[in-house]
């Protein structure tokens, strides 16, 4: 549960996978701000 929900402007989710990761960011209204596959590398 998020305390002080009203003070959060952006929510970020990350799906961690073997081949690649994926990140999504949404604003409070649910508008998608970021949606991108990210490489899964040791570096």
């Amino acid at each position: 549960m998020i305390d002080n929900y009203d003070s959060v402007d952006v929510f970020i989710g990350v799906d961690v996978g073997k081949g690649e990761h994926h990140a999504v960011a949404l604003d409070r209204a649910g508008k998608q701000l970021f949606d991108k596959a990210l490489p899964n590398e040791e570096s």
Side-chain angles (χ1 to χ4, degrees), residues 1-12:
M1 175 161 264
I2 300 172
D3 294 330
N4 302 325
Y5 173 82
D6 293 336
S7 66
V8 177
D9 292 323
V10 177
F11 296 87
I12 299 171

Side-chain angles (χ1 to χ4, degrees), residues 1-2 7 10-12 15-17 20 22 25 29-30 32-34 36 40 43:
M1 175 161 264
I2 300 172
S7 66
V10 177
F11 296 87
I12 299 171
D15 179 13
V16 178
E20 65 183 15
H22 200 95
Q32 189 170 297
L33 304 173
F34 184 85
K36 185 175 180 180
N40 181 0
S43 59

Side-chain angles (χ1 to χ4, degrees), residues 20-43:
E20 65 183 15
H21 305 313
H22 200 95
V24 176
L26 304 174
D27 68 9
R28 190 179 302 148
K31 179 182 174 188
Q32 189 170 297
L33 304 173
F34 184 85
D35 183 2
K36 185 175 180 180
L38 305 169
N40 181 0
E41 301 174 358
E42 278 189 45
S43 59

